[in-house]
Amino acid sequence: ISFDEWLNFAYTHYQSQKLPVAFDKEEKDQFVKSCKDSANTGSDAYKKIYWFSWKCFQAADADRDGQVSNSEFATMINVATSGQKRLGLPAPFQTSADRDALFAKMDENGDGAISFDEWLSMFMKEIIAPVAAL
């Protein structure tokens, strides 16, 4: 089998796959359902939202130090709430004052940075839970 034959087969096979829609690209009803279902940490919805929260964290952690500083925080909130804004759902922390207050609340030890665990906990409670309550 030649490389071109293999590549054609692989590409055709890949195109025929039904890949799941990313959390932030879901339609409104499925988006809300995923938020509701994420209460079960063993669910596929939780896994999808967990990986989306990691994507948000990575998008903001520009220097790749495993921490998000206050100057990087707005990027994380913007990525995290993009789905809600696109779908017309509640999108909290849109002002810099709201983001600064939230960052200060999350940065309990005052080191000027938050970890992924701190972010995940807040993300589920303050961004996902209000949508799940709809």
Side-chain angles (χ1 to χ4, degrees), residues 24-93:
D24 57 329
K25 305 295 184 212
E26 292 178 335
E27 294 302 320
K28 188 173 186 175
D29 291 342
Q30 184 58 46
F31 188 91
V32 172
K33 183 179 183 321
S34 291
C35 290
K36 291 178 186 294
D37 293 349
S38 70
N40 173 1
T41 57
S43 70
D44 286 340
Y46 179 83
K47 292 173 192 170
K48 187 185 308 189
I49 290 173
Y50 176 93
W51 287 113
F52 176 70
S53 71
W54 179 248
K55 174 182 153 184
C56 298
F57 190 86
Q58 289 296 304
D61 185 16
D63 56 6
R64 299 290 183 245
D65 65 351
Q67 302 283 315
V68 171
S69 66
N70 196 10
S71 64
E72 299 168 321
F73 191 62
T75 299
M76 191 160 56
I77 293 294
N78 289 335
V79 173
T81 59
S82 63
Q84 284 100 312
K85 288 185 273 192
R86 179 179 58 85
L87 298 170
L89 295 168
F93 314 112

Side-chain angles (χ1 to χ4, degrees), residues 46 49-51 53-54 57 106 115-126:
Y46 179 83
I49 290 173
Y50 176 93
W51 287 113
S53 71
W54 179 248
F57 190 86
M106 291 174 63
S115 68
F116 176 71
D117 290 337
E118 292 169 316
W119 162 247
L120 178 62
S121 175
M122 185 288 302
F123 175 74
M124 296 302 287
K125 190 180 334 168
E126 302 288 341

